[in-house]
């Protein structure tokens, strides 16, 4: 693979909630980078901080409960953390956009699809209404919506889930952003419609060189869509690698357990379940956060959080087993 | 030899589509379930797969008698369930139970777990409160929860634990059949494996049969001995699970299977991408109702409806390609 331009680089990002319970460390030292035309998957159990990571990158975290406490989010060399709200609004319209989990909440039920597309286009500069209608239609055609001239008049409730996700996709790519953050966009869709949608995203990416951050808890989606994968556990990335390296040789016990718990099409032997639950993010242990569920745990793990080892091919793992101290 | 527990024969549910607020005029019918036949064996699992809107939940509701069929029959151990009234009907309610998709909305928030779990028993069978609670303790242990947790309320449990409670309530009356409508799809990946292992163990222990409605095909592969594929109210292919997964024949089944997500990035097989979505079941397409989306459709497919044939070894199929 040739070296592509880095689109976004995230360094040691911390996003915390401050409330009665104390401090909830939803994102607690997350770093990764993503290149042009690349898809990065972020996987992990519910509540591990995937959505909060995504919302941090967009600077859309719930205020005032949550705050980016430290870290950098570099997009085109500009640190998004330091931008004012109005500067950030500009960036969101043009350079970075999103496709969120629930299509119901992303589209406004009282406006037609056409109006919402035109509004998104309008955010990018002043043009004539007629030109924008033509562009909106083109946008729908690009996401393979049949008979777009008729669809422009439809309200969201008149469309199926798959169709709505396409429209959201059309809005997201309308400003030709450099990066799209997709938070479980296909969870609510049928497998057949999911396949149509994933292929569509791939096609758009091939044409535009868009970088995609794809949040999911489905390793099947990772296998189909992603070039790189970050596995998240209790607010941190515990393993990060190219997709084939991760599937061929997962190093972190959590990654291994998560992969083993997924039923496979060609197997009927007993599934390996992960017992127990992740630690609460407002009361995290000193050492490795997976220690209470890990079958390899040693005292060392409980006492200190493991350093990150960098293996071949930019494969990184935060587990004591890959450190020299493990055999002492 | 597998023993027949429940049989659906030419089962049909057409919902009227009405117009006008006062004089409700019927202008058509939604053919949610349109003539299906299947048999569920004692102690076994039958999987039912297909895209949303193809009639899986309606089929489940007919078996539970939450809806009445507009045609056809359902037999439990040879007896037509539509004829059941009074105590016989109450008994049926205890013999066929259900676990639904959403562990958050399916449990009443104001009831203690012990009252939720014993509800079917208390309502449908004459048992004393004490006997019912004793039974609750048993089933709580069976599903891997502590008996003391029966004193708590549902909001005090995680999603996976709530689904265990739902399974416990379904088990309490020692049913012969439990309908599982997407039992794990709302759960987190790591919890899904726990609940699926639990269901398989319980079947082995108690001999209960399952009808498993799911759109995750790997889940069905793991749990079901036989699998039926449904499209627009009809079963289009039905076979022992292993045979179906190794040798899918119907173009719709092939498309569904090819859309299933791979277990490894190198497993990307041939993709059959279906055009469009499931058409409206109000006026389903003529002939084979899959023909507008079928990549192999021939002239006769739009006029002539295929009939179900046995391709050998109980592999049932309805498609003109194999005539
Ligand atoms: N508004 C809030 N107030 C307090 N804590 C919150 C709030 N929103 C999220 N959290 C906490 O932040 C943590 C991370 O949440 P996040 O939504 O990022 O999880 P996720 O990985 O996206 O999970 P899922 O797979 O369920 O979508 C969780 O522990 C959650 O309880
Ligand atoms: N009470 C009802 N009235 C009218 N149509 C219904 C009703 N219930 C279901 N349907 C329709 O019947 C079809 C099958 O629905 P359903 O059994 O819920 O499908 P599935 O569970 O496979 O997604 C759908 O088109 C649905 O809209
Ligand atoms: S550091 Fe220790 S407890 Fe943590 S994952 Fe590695 S072996 Fe397990
Ligand atoms: S009968 Fe014709 S249209 Fe229907 S599935 Fe077979 S080939 Fe396709
Ligand atoms: Mg989320
Ligand atoms: Mg359903």
């Amino acid at each position: 693979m040739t070296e592509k331009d880095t689109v976004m680089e995230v360094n040691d990002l911390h996003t915390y909630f401050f409330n009665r319970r104390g401090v909830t460390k939803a994102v607690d030292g997350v770093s990764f980078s993503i290149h042009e035309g690349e898809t990065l998957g972020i996987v992990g159990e519910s509540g591990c901080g995937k959505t909060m990571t995504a919302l941090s990158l967009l600077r859309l975290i719930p205020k005032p409960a949550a705050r980016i406490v430290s870290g950098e989010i570099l997009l085109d060399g500009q640190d998004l953390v330091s931008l004012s709200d109005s500067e950030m609004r500009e960036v969101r319209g043009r350079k970075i956009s999103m496709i969120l989990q629930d299509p119901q909440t992303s589209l406004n039920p009282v406006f037609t699809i056409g109006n919402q597309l035109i509004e998104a286009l309008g955010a990018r500069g002043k043009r004539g209404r007629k030109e924008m209608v033509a562009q909106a239609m083109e946008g729908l055609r690009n996401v393979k919506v049949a008979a777009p001239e008729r669809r422009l008049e439809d309200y969201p409730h008149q469309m199926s889930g798959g169709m709505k996700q396409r429209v959201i996709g059309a809005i997201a790519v309308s400003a030709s952003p450099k990066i799209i953050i997709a938070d479980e966009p296909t969870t609510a869709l049928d497998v057949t419609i999911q396949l149509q949608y994933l292929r569509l995203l791939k096609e758009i990416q091939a044409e535009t060189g868009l970088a995609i951050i794809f949040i999911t808890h489905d390793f099947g989606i990772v296998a189909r869509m992603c070039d790189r994968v970050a596995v998240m556990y209790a607010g941190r990335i515990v393993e990060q690698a190219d997709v084939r390296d991760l599937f061929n040789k997962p190093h972190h016990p959590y990654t291994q357990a998560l992969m083993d718990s997924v039923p496979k099409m060609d197997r009927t032997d007993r599934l390996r379940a992960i017992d127990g639950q992740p630690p609460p993010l407002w009361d995290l242990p000193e050492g490795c956060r997976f220690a209470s569920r890990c079958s390899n745990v040693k005292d060392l793990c409980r006492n200190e959080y493991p350093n990150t080892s960098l293996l071949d091919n930019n494969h990184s793992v935060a587990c004591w087993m890959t450190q020299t101290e493990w055999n002492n | 030899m597998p023993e027949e527990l429940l049989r659906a024969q030419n089962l049909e549910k057409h919902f009227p589509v009405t117009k006008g607020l006062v004089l409700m005029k019927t202008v058509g019918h939604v053919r949610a379930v349109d003539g299906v036949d299947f048999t569920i064996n004692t102690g076994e699992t039958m999987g039912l797969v297909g895209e949303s809107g193809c009639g899986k939940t309606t089929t489940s509701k007919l078996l539970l008698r939450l809806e009445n069929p507009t045609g056809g029959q359902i037999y439990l151990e040879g007896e037509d369930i539509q004829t059941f009234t009074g105590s016989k009907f109450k008994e049926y309610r205890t013999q066929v139970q259900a676990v639904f998709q959403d562990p958050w909305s399916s449990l009443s928030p104001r009831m203690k777990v012990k009252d939720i779990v014993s509800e079917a028993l208390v309502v449908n069978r004459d048992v004393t409160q004490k006997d019912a609670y004793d039974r609750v303790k048993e089933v709580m242990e069976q599903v891997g929860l502590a008996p003391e947790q029966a004193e708590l309320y549902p909001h005090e449990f995680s999603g996976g634990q709530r689904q265990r409670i739902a399974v416990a309530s379904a088990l309490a009356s020692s049913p012969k059949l439990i309908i599982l409508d997407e039992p794990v799809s709302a759960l987190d990946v790591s919890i899904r494996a726990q609940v699926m292992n639990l269901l398989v163990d319980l079947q082995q222990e108690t001999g209960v049969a399952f009808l498993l409605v799911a759109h995750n095909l790997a889940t069905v592969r793991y749990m079901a001995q036989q699998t039926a594929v449904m499209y627009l109210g009809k079963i289009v292919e039905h076979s022992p699970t292993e045979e179906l997964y190794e040798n899918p024949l119907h173009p719709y089944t092939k498309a569904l299977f090819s859309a299933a997500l791979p277990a490894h990035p190198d497993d990307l097989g041939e993709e059959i991408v279906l055009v469009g979505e499931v058409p409206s079941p109000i006026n389903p397409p003529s002939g084979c109702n899959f023909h507008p989306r079928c990549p192999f459709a021939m002239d006769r497919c739009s006029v002539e409806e295929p009939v179900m044939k046995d391709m050998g070894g109980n592999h049932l199929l309805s498609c003109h390609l194999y005539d």
Side-chain angles (χ1 to χ4, degrees), chain B residues 250-252 288-291 294-298 301 306 318-321:
Chain B
H250 196 281
Y252 180 64
C288 168
N289 62 20
F290 185 55
H291 83 260
C294 179
F296 307 101
M298 306 165 286
C301 298
S318 90
C319 169
H320 291 311
L321 280 181

Side-chain angles (χ1 to χ4, degrees), chain A residues 45-46 160 190 192 194 196 199 217-218 220-221 223-224 244 247-248 261 263 265 268-271 273-274 277, chain B residues 51-52 158 188-190 193-194 196-197 201 217-218 221-222 258-259 261-266 271 273-274 276-277:
Chain A
E45 269 164 282
S46 192
S160 68
D190 269 319
T192 48
Q194 170 169 277
Q196 292 173 359
R199 287 192 35 148
H217 49 232
D218 194 332
I221 289 189
R224 190 181 278 280
R244 282 192 174 69
F247 277 85
N248 289 338
S261 72
M265 286 287 278
T268 53
D269 49 328
R270 198 174 175 76
L271 296 171
I274 317 177
Q277 279 168 21
Chain B
E51 286 166 287
S52 52
S158 72
D188 214 11
V189 249
S190 62
Q194 290 175 15
M196 284 165 62
N197 283 340
D201 291 346
L217 295 166
R221 174 80 173 98
Y222 176 72
S258 85
L261 293 162
H264 190 284
D266 294 331
E271 284 179 1
V273 182
L274 288 181
E277 306 185 3

Side-chain angles (χ1 to χ4, degrees), chain A residues 69-123:
Chain A
V69 184
S70 62
E72 296 180 312
I73 304 167
L74 302 174
L75 177 65
D76 277 348
Q78 190 178 34
D79 185 5
L80 301 187
V81 176
S82 64
L83 296 186
S84 70
D85 286 352
S86 65
E87 286 168 330
M88 191 58 212
R89 227 170 288 130
E90 285 280 298
V91 172
R92 261 201 309 272
R94 291 159 195 257
K95 291 189 180 169
I96 180 167
S97 37
M98 62 207 155
I99 302 173
L100 297 180
Q101 194 153 352
D102 182 6
Q104 317 307 346
T105 56
S106 316
L107 289 173
N108 192 329
V110 303
F111 294 111
T112 63
I113 296 305
N115 269 322
Q116 297 187 55
L117 262 167
I118 287 167
E119 195 192 308
L121 291 166

